[in-house]
Amino acid sequence: MDSQSSQASQASHSPRRPHTFQVDLRGLVDLLSHHLYSSPKVYLRELLQNAVDAITARRTTEPDAPARVRLTAEGGALRVEDTGVGLTEADVHDLLATIGRSSKRAEGLQEARSEFLGQFGIGLLACFVVAERIRVVSRSARTPGAPPVEWTASDDGSYTVRTLPDAERREPGTTVHLVARAGAAEWLTPERVGALARDFGSLLPYDVRVGDEPVTDLPAPWDRSYPSPATRRVTLARHCHELFGFTPLDTVDLSVPLAGVRGVAYVLPSAVSPAQRAGHRVHLKGMLLTERAEQLLPDWAFFVRCVLDTDSLRPTASREALYEDETLAAVREALGERIRAWLTGLAAGDPERLAAFLAVHHLGVKSLARHDREMLVTMLPWLPFETTDGRLSLEEFAQRHPVVHFTRTVEEYRQVAPIASAQGIGVVNGGYTYDSELVEALPSVRPGTVVAELDAETVTAHLDAVDPAEELALSGFLAAARARLDPLGCDVVLRAFHPLSLPALHLDDRDARHEQARADAEAQADDLWAGILGSLRGSAPRARLVLNHLNPLVRRISSLHDPELIGTATESLYGQALLMAQRPLRPADSALLNRAFIGLLEWATHREDGQA
């Protein structure tokens, strides 16, 4: 007789002889409650899981066996009774007292392994998170002649096993009794047990009740039959509000039979950051696994929250997250395809709903379109962009302009938008997330389209030149203005353009800004580093302050003869142009604005004193 059989025999003759777990149970409880599980509430999931797995195991050999789970909470105690496969005394010693083992691994049950929820055999020991004592009474369905057996364990690590008279339990199955630990009684109240049971077990395939109240609510909302699509949308919207607290813009079916997934995605009614990690509800064979599954959908699908049931994905050790493997990657891809197909269907058949969606979530679709040519072709007529013609799609904008100019930053766009619009230059603001990439991809899906990044040279070339004779007459003014701005790396040019109210325009591009940054660093560096930076000096054009010859203020300033006053006025126009473009100011620019402001005040007060 092996040691295990000998232990079982001794227990039969000495029913109250204590045995000890081969672990530090107090340390295990601390590990479970503080490191493995996110909340003590998972104890009820473990109890439901064991009961459901026991019923599943019995039904592999008895398809018509009863399938009931009953939970009763009262007086700081909980009783969970199931009609499952049950245990013999040998099973109790072999399975309930050994970490890493589970009744699902018993001989003769391995063929049904894939149908079980449990994966790691922690089982009843997890209940010590809330209980100081656990009592299990069970009778085996696989060994009808075996008597009922009782297993009683305490959180000090000891347990006892004894057989019971037949009258104690006549039908196969298991009853688990818990007595609350000090400070944990709230987890065993009828209200808390009922709420947890409904949360974890609403999609379980068996008859689960807390007292007389049913827990399961089958079929799932997405699997039910409805009299009309409108009724289905209303019901699912109500379901979404109950689970997530919002009313969705739309719903997306996520049924992927080949991947063992059934569920629905709810489209958020308000915009969220693409960097925000979405939390999805995942049920595993009907049991709620987690409410915070983050890796279930592709990153671009941040605009939906989903709830689904699966029988193909693996849980982590805590059974509160999904294990990252090839199966999860395949499911993620399949669910992404379902959401992509939904977007394509809206574009083809329901433009109003698509417009409402894009008004909120265009950023997510743009993220997808960057890497998906088919999606870019589909969404091109609908995706909105900020342009000098207003908010338009790239398709409509390209129809209006032979060349689609764009800027890479919002600041650049703000500099040129008023002028470009007045000159008939079409410009797209590519400074927002993904926009410049999509504009550059436009020729690949719209052959013949010309796309060009807008630079200072292009804008200046579209502005009207001043009559040469007039510009020659203003050569002294222009020389004084250029001399004042030369230390800032900025040239001064004279042009005539609309709107007349704009006295000056500051233009630069990325190359000019890089050169300016290099020059600033060189000016502040020591001799060695300045020499290195000087060797990197580029030939890029410098920034430009374009003075509007049509503006009355500029005309008055250009008639001045005092070089110092011309310089102060030029600095003022330069600072005002920077502020109009909403460009960040360098320390030198801030100093210039202060200097110009004080200079104008001094000039104005000196003039008043002279007149007096």
Side-chain angles (χ1 to χ4, degrees), residues 233 249-252 267 303 338-358 365 375 378-379 382:
R233 281 197 297 270
L249 280 178
D250 205 351
T251 59
V252 185
V267 181
F303 49 83
R338 288 293 183 273
I339 297 174
R340 181 185 287 108
W342 167 76
L343 284 171
T344 304
L346 286 187
D350 200 339
E352 290 185 2
R353 286 171 67 197
L354 178 62
F357 166 75
L358 289 178
V365 179
M375 183 56 63
T378 302
M379 293 290 110
W382 307 99

Side-chain angles (χ1 to χ4, degrees), residues 42 55 108 165 209 213 216 220 228 232 312 317 342 345 354 414 439 517 543 546 557:
V42 297
I55 293 172
R209 296 173 183 265
E213 295 295 322
T216 53
S228 68
R232 186 176 191 273
S312 63
W342 167 76
L354 178 62
R414 287 170 177 165
V439 175
V546 184
I557 293 174

